[in-house]
Amino acid sequence: MASKKPTEIIISGSIRTDQYGGAHGDIYLYWRDSRDAAFARKGGHANYGYPGYFLASIFDGTDWRKLQINKLVEYEQRSYELASQRQAVVDNLARIISSWRGITAIYNQESRSFTIPGREIA
């Protein structure tokens, strides 16, 4: 019989910037290129000022599962214009996520991801 994945995870308030290790409820932040940056990279343009944004997963004790951070944090607070600004965005997100310590993230079957009911932005 297959193990049933948890549908509720208590947020630890800690972040990771890699997928190795992790404790139950940790949030993994990873960056993605913006559409313009992805287009430029695909074209082989050498430019280190690419803009991008962060996405997140939450650790259920066994696996990293998608967290709908885009529904919890405004794009402006999880994006950057230059790659050199990435760490400042991570630091800001760490402050936000630490304020979620002890809150329960709930799995949404429709989106196949976790969110925090009552904390979602419009």
Side-chain angles (χ1 to χ4, degrees), residues 2-11 23-26 58-67 104-109 112-115:
S3 64
K4 184 174 165 96
K5 292 187 175 215
T7 57
E8 296 185 0
I9 301 172
I10 297 173
I11 297 170
H24 193 273
D26 285 358
I58 187 168
F59 196 63
D60 70 4
T62 304
D63 294 314
W64 290 103
R65 315 249 319 264
K66 179 76 177 158
L67 176 69
T104 302
I106 307 291
Y107 185 75
N108 179 310
Q109 187 67 39
R112 295 183 183 176
S113 60
F114 282 83
T115 190

